[in-house]
Each structure stands twice: as C-alpha cells, then as structure tokens.
Amino acid sequence: YLDSDIICKGSLASLLTEEFNGNVLMAVHDSFVDTSAVAGINPGLYFNSGFMYFNLPELKDTNLTLQVISKVNENRFSHPDQDALNVLFNDRVKILDHKFNSFFNIDTLAKKGGDAFKITSQTVFIHYVGVTKPWHDWAQYYAEVEYFKIARENSPWKDIPLLAPTTYKQLSRKSTHLKHNGHLLGAFIFYVKYLVNKYQTQKKR
C-alpha cells in the first residue's frame, strides 16, 4: 500500500529480498508522532501507514477494514487509521530503512533548517508530507519536485494544469513560497487572499 502523495524514485529490488519472518507487514518507523495517547504499543515499532508491505497470506482470514474502523470508533486517535493499524499490528511489524518511506515536507524548503530527511541516491519512495504537494502550482521552484515532474511528463495527465490554492492554508503556503523565491508582489497578493479566505471560513463556522 502507498499513499497517493508518494512517488517511486528507486528500484524495488532490495525490498523484494526482505523476509517477513512471520510478521504481518513491513513498514517504516514514524518518530514524528506523539504515541503517548496510543495505549498498548511499543513506540519504537510505531510505523507510518503511508507505505505498508503486507504479508497477504497472514491477512487472508482477517477483515482488516472492519477491524480498523472498529478501533477508530472505540478510541480518540490523533492519526485515526495509522494509530488503529499500529494497535492491531505493532507487535507484528518489521521496521525497514527510511529509504522506503522518506518523509519530505516541501514547505520546509521555505524555512530555515530544511527537512529532517533528505532525498538521497538510496531513496526508493519519497513521501511528500505536509500541506504543499508536488502537483501544486507553487511547488515548482524546487529540485526535490523534479521526480514528480518527470513522472507527470510521461503520464496521460501531462496536459492537466497543476492545482492552484483553494483553502486558506494553501493560500498561506503559496504566499510563503513566492516570498522565499523572490516574487514579493505575488506573495503580498496571496497573503491578502489568505487573510480574506481565512476570515470567510471562520465566519461560516
């Protein structure tokens, strides 16, 4: 299973040599989530559900969807499906290297400090976490988006326009990225749009 904001950059050959060793799935550790509210799990084995390599024979008699829904309904999870999956399989997961689920937040490129993980020659799957995705029209300034551009150019959707911001969070992000890349007038315009949209959204609540 792959989240829709993941793109394959490298070969899967090394993944196919991994053994399940009796586990239900393989995944990558997620150290960014506060697991204190998720009872009964080992935080060191808490995995991100963006990439999951399932051992299907072990799941053939398991109604996974109903189990996850049941756990979500019974608890107040901050990351509903991910927390539920961890409760179900935290003791039966094999943790893989981060190259199979390399979290990358495009928005950090417009901030000091950069991202916690880098895209390297070893990266297999890039997971574009955060508000800004590579298919947004304000994400096209960065080399880290080139992998998406190549895939898009070779796809049936190459002529479909990139997405413009619609929510106030997206308008804010576009303003930030425009400013970071020297487009000050555009940044100002989208900041004003952000303020208006945020006011209108909060007024409706």
Side-chain angles (χ1 to χ4, degrees):
Y1 168 84
L2 296 174
D3 271 359
S4 60
D5 54 1
I6 286 180
I7 192 166
C8 184
K9 171 186 170 292
S11 170
L12 300 182
S14 61
L15 177 61
L16 300 179
T17 65
E18 296 283 349
E19 297 290 339
F20 282 98
N21 300 325
N23 290 298
V24 174
L25 75 154
M26 302 185 204
V28 169
H29 181 238
D30 192 336
S31 60
F32 293 98
V33 175
D34 180 6
T35 59
S36 60
V38 187
I41 68 163
N42 178 352
L45 295 178
Y46 183 89
F47 59 88
N48 182 275
S49 62
F51 157 84
M52 294 180 289
Y53 183 14
F54 284 104
N55 186 352
L56 294 182
E58 290 290 323
L59 287 174
K60 65 179 180 180
D61 298 320
T62 302
N63 194 324
L64 182 56
T65 301
L66 287 182
Q67 286 197 54
V68 169
I69 292 173
S70 177
K71 290 294 181 185
V72 170
N73 289 336
E74 293 169 3
N75 298 273
R76 303 181 72 176
F77 293 138
S78 59
H79 297 73
D81 61 319
Q82 180 166 295
D83 287 347
L85 286 163
N86 271 277
V87 170
L88 291 170
F89 302 126
N90 183 253
D91 60 343
R92 298 190 66 190
V93 59
K94 177 179 178 179
I95 298 297
L96 299 179
D97 189 273
H98 271 283
K99 69 181 182 180
F100 293 113
N101 188 357
S102 293
F103 313 137
F104 192 86
N105 191 326
I106 296 172
D107 290 319
T108 63
L109 295 172
K111 301 176 182 178
K112 293 181 179 179
D115 203 87
F117 295 105
K118 302 298 181 185
I119 299 172
T120 71
S121 59
Q122 301 300 311
T123 299
V124 176
F125 290 117
I126 307 169
H127 190 174
Y128 291 103
V129 297
V131 173
T132 298
K133 305 299 183 184
W135 49 83
H136 287 138
D137 64 10
W138 65 93
Q140 307 310 303
Y141 300 104
Y142 308 106
E144 290 82 359
V145 179
E146 288 299 318
Y147 308 102
F148 167 77
K149 289 182 179 180
I150 293 170
R152 177 173 179 257
E153 188 59 30
N154 288 279
S155 78
W157 300 278
K158 65 180 180 180
D159 296 322
I160 302 297
L162 296 168
L163 297 183
T166 55
T167 67
Y168 70 82
K169 287 185 178 180
Q170 291 177 352
L171 289 163
S172 174
R173 293 301 191 280
K174 180 161 185 173
S175 174
T176 299
H177 286 282
L178 287 171
K179 180 180 178 181
H180 179 73
N181 287 279
H183 302 286
L184 301 183
L185 178 59
F188 174 75
I189 292 171
F190 277 94
Y191 186 73
V192 172
K193 290 182 177 182
Y194 149 72
L195 292 175
V196 172
N197 190 288
K198 184 177 181 180
Y199 172 76
Q200 292 174 338
T201 301
Q202 293 179 339
K203 188 177 180 179
K204 290 177 182 178
R205 295 174 182 173

